[in-house]
Amino acid sequence: MQYSFRGGVRLDFHKKTRGKRIEMLPAPGTVTVPILYSENRAAELFVSVGDTVAIGQPLGNAGGGLWCPVHAGVSGRVVEIRQGADPLSGPYIGVVIENDGQDTPAPTVQPFAKSLQDATGEELLEVIRNAGIPSMVTETLPVYAVIESSIGRVDRIIVNCTECEPYLTSTYRLLMENPAAVINGVKILLKAIGVRQALLAVDNRCMDALNKLEKLLDGSKMIFGRAVDAKYPMEERTLLYAMTGRELPAGKTAVDAGCVMFRAETCAAVFQAFAFGMPYVRRVVTVAGNCIASPKNVSVPLGTSVQDLIAFCGGFRKSPASLVLGSPMTGCAVASTDQLITKDTVAVLALSRPTAENAASACIRCGRCVDVCPMHLMPHAIVRAAERSAWKRMDRLSVTACMECGSCSYVCPGGVDVTAKVAAAKEAYRTHLASREEAVEDVVEEVVEEVVEETVSPEEILVPETPAAPKEDAVPEIISVFGEDAAAVDNTAKPVPEGEKLILTLDGKEDAAHEEE
């Protein structure tokens, strides 16, 4: 069966690092661990300049959507705390650690004391929360928050093991070198959420990785591998439809459709936290592009500079015209190698300028952008409506549903950056709505002031008669100002049916055992 979705594009492979095993980058002399924050929530620091830290020791809590702990990836001494900004993740407080070369683990880095069968969902959630693991699917949310929001609302887990963009191979190498960590992480997540089915979505160009997974699953009744059509973008909405046939409306998440999604890297990190007590202090980064001397997949301590990472890969063999932090379709071009490796950095790409560029820059109305849009939008029509400030038409065209995947720009024969134009239209539309709301608030305030000025004088107020006392057998009338009572929402996990027990082990085998009555 072909698991696919409508729209999307098939991108060039360009995966020369596919056969390169993951290498461990020796921790550099200094790292700057970023602790992110936002305008609405400040970061919380646990260390000061001069403090000695160990690997896995909490340095602080990142702000933003929800608290997420950040840990040291090297042992040593805090020599500086400074402000900075990441082009992908935003502003941060950087904790600069001078590496002592001892790789001393923190006392808290200990395996979970119980077996998976004996652990409760609450205990597993606490382990995941303390590990500081990012979602990698839902932006700004740590994985523990995704788990909490899904308990009692989903019936299955979907694990995204695909890499449909060029150059990226870190997930593929994880599946080839350590598939057991991914499967065991899935089992832990099944237990924590309280569901009994997981689907592993693997790119159909990586059947060798799928075969490794299925060999370890050994006919599992709970976890299933699926080959999906290698189209971009393979994100939350498109993968949900490909795997289940469920459409996800704009503004909703997969949890609203009864599924919760994780990346394969997230599952492996959950297993590392459970089995070894190691929080999320390293991530695998693909370093590639035709300007890199020796492209590699590298396990990097968080806070390592891009310059140190590129030096580990032999440096530049020629000067790059474009240095991209992140994936080629949705990453960010940076001007220098002074950037840091964060929890969100999947790749560092050094690319030369294309040999030929399309000189055209006008829409020819071919409709290709409509064919490939995974959100079923009409990008060319949105751009034309934005040029005329046709706000009502932009609303009818669902401009805010655009996920800015870049598919429309990729296929445009006219060389138009359609994605950038639609993104600008979306921002202009939101600004227009905000200005309208402010105008409405001003009108309401004026009306309220007029009503207050026209209130009656005390002489015009009539004193009502004292009501008669009710009879003893009279039933007082109860009027609810809120209408019908709201139904309580049960957010607890669905109980396992009576007579059925969930058995999960960490050796790659599990089944549902039925007890005799």
Side-chain angles (χ1 to χ4, degrees):
M1 178 180 179
Q2 180 78 355
Y3 294 90
S4 188
F5 61 92
R6 175 188 173 276
V9 293
R10 289 180 175 84
L11 304 175
D12 296 333
F13 212 44
H14 289 307
K15 295 182 184 285
K16 295 183 179 180
T17 56
R18 197 168 184 261
K20 300 291 186 69
R21 294 183 63 88
I22 298 172
E23 298 184 30
M24 296 287 290
L25 172 71
T30 60
V31 298
T32 303
V33 182
I35 303 178
L36 303 175
Y37 65 91
S38 67
E39 296 180 357
N40 300 324
R41 174 165 284 183
E44 181 181 3
L45 283 177
F46 300 153
V47 295
S48 303
V49 173
D51 289 353
T52 301
V53 297
I55 295 177
Q57 177 179 332
L59 301 177
N61 276 327
L66 289 170
W67 293 120
C68 185
V70 179
H71 305 80
V74 301
S75 61
R77 188 172 64 91
V78 178
V79 295
E80 185 184 358
I81 295 176
R82 65 188 185 205
Q83 297 282 339
D86 180 76
L88 292 174
S89 306
Y92 63 79
I93 296 175
V95 179
V96 183
I97 303 174
E98 186 178 64
N99 185 11
D100 61 9
Q102 300 299 314
D103 293 337
T104 306
T108 54
V109 179
Q110 297 290 337
F112 187 65
K114 297 181 180 180
S115 67
L116 184 56
Q117 293 94 328
D118 297 332
T120 65
E122 292 76 12
E123 290 172 332
L124 295 176
L125 185 60
E126 187 66 18
V127 170
I128 295 170
R129 179 186 289 110
N130 292 334
I133 303 171
S135 165
M136 305 183 196
V137 173
T138 305
E139 295 182 1
T140 74
L141 288 181
V143 71
Y144 80 83
V146 176
I147 295 173
E148 286 181 329
S149 68
S150 64
I151 294 176
R153 299 176 59 194
V154 302
D155 55 26
R156 72 190 69 180
I157 290 173
I158 297 177
V159 182
N160 190 348
C161 305
T162 67
E163 284 177 317
C164 296
E165 296 188 56
Y167 300 104
L168 308 184
T169 57
S170 58
T171 301
Y172 172 78
R173 291 312 313 174
L174 172 64
L175 298 178
M176 292 297 293
E177 297 178 33
N178 199 3
V182 177
I183 293 174
N184 286 328
V186 173
K187 294 176 184 180
I188 295 169
L189 291 170
L190 284 170
K191 183 71 178 287
I193 298 173
V195 294
R196 300 177 59 82
Q197 186 183 84
L199 304 176
L200 309 183
V202 182
D203 188 330
N204 62 3
R205 294 176 296 188
C206 302
M207 296 304 295
D208 50 351
L210 179 59
N211 292 336
K212 274 186 170 288
L213 291 171
E214 290 182 334
K215 184 177 180 180
L216 284 178
L217 291 173
D218 192 24
S220 168
K221 304 298 182 183
M222 298 174 62
I223 307 175
F224 307 90
R226 296 287 186 266
V228 297
D229 191 7
K231 290 199 297 184
Y232 173 85
M234 195 61 73
E235 302 293 343
E236 187 176 40
R237 299 173 187 277
T238 54
L239 186 57
L240 176 71
Y241 181 82
M243 298 297 287
T244 68
R246 302 175 186 178
E247 287 274 8
L248 191 61
K252 300 294 183 179
T253 66
V255 172
D256 298 312
C259 299
V260 59
M261 290 197 184
F262 302 100
R263 288 287 308 177
E265 294 87 345
T266 300
C267 299
V270 166
F271 174 69
Q272 292 289 327
F274 179 88
F276 306 106
M278 182 58 69
Y280 195 77
V281 296
R282 277 180 172 263
R283 74 154 298 135
V284 180
V285 179
T286 298
V287 184
N290 57 359
C291 295
I292 297 293
S294 179
K296 298 179 179 180
N297 296 295
V298 188
S299 176
V300 187
L302 299 180
T304 300
S305 71
V306 171
Q307 182 175 359
D308 288 337
L309 178 57
I310 292 177
F312 179 71
C313 297
F316 296 123
R317 67 183 185 90
K318 59 181 178 180
S319 180
S322 179
L323 184 63
V324 179
L325 206 59
S327 66
M329 293 295 287
T330 59
C332 179
V334 295
S336 72
T337 58
D338 295 333
Q339 306 298 330
L340 302 177
I341 301 300
T342 70
K343 294 182 179 183
D344 300 324
T345 310
V346 297
V348 175
L349 308 176
L351 309 171
S352 62
R353 193 175 302 277
T355 55
E357 294 185 357
N358 196 329
S361 60
C363 174
I364 62 175
R365 301 188 183 183
C366 63
R368 292 186 186 179
C369 57
V370 178
D371 294 336
V372 301
C373 180
M375 294 301 296
H376 310 167
L377 304 179
M378 299 175 65
H380 69 295
I382 292 174
V383 172
R384 292 205 306 272
E387 291 171 350
R388 304 193 307 271
S389 297
W391 308 116
K392 290 184 178 180
R393 177 161 175 75
M394 291 169 68
D395 180 62
R396 291 195 299 269
L397 292 170
S398 302
V399 61
T400 57
C402 172
M403 59 192 295
E404 301 180 29
C405 66
S407 297
C408 50
S409 295
Y410 182 81
V411 300
C412 180
V416 179
D417 191 352
V418 186
T419 303
K421 290 180 177 290
V422 174
K426 183 166 62 172
E427 185 63 28
Y429 178 74
R430 286 173 174 165
T431 302
H432 168 72
L433 290 183
S435 62
R436 285 188 58 187
E437 290 176 359
E438 292 178 1
V440 170
E441 290 176 358
D442 293 340
V443 171
V444 171
E445 187 176 346
E446 292 176 3
V447 171
V448 170
E449 290 176 355
E450 292 177 1
V451 171
V452 171
E453 292 174 358
E454 296 177 0
T455 53
V456 297
S457 61
E459 292 78 8
E460 297 174 320
I461 299 177
L462 300 177
V463 180
E465 297 180 359
T466 303
K471 297 180 181 179
E472 293 183 359
D473 58 348
V475 179
E477 182 181 5
I478 299 177
I479 301 176
S480 172
V481 297
F482 300 104
E484 298 180 358
D485 293 336
V489 178
D490 182 9
N491 283 325
T492 59
K494 297 179 181 179
V496 177
E498 186 176 354
E500 192 169 351
K501 180 170 61 178
L502 185 66
I503 296 179
L504 292 171
T505 62
L506 293 179
D507 59 1
K509 298 179 182 294
E510 78 292 316
D511 203 343
H514 299 272
E515 299 176 352
E516 298 290 339
E517 296 184 357

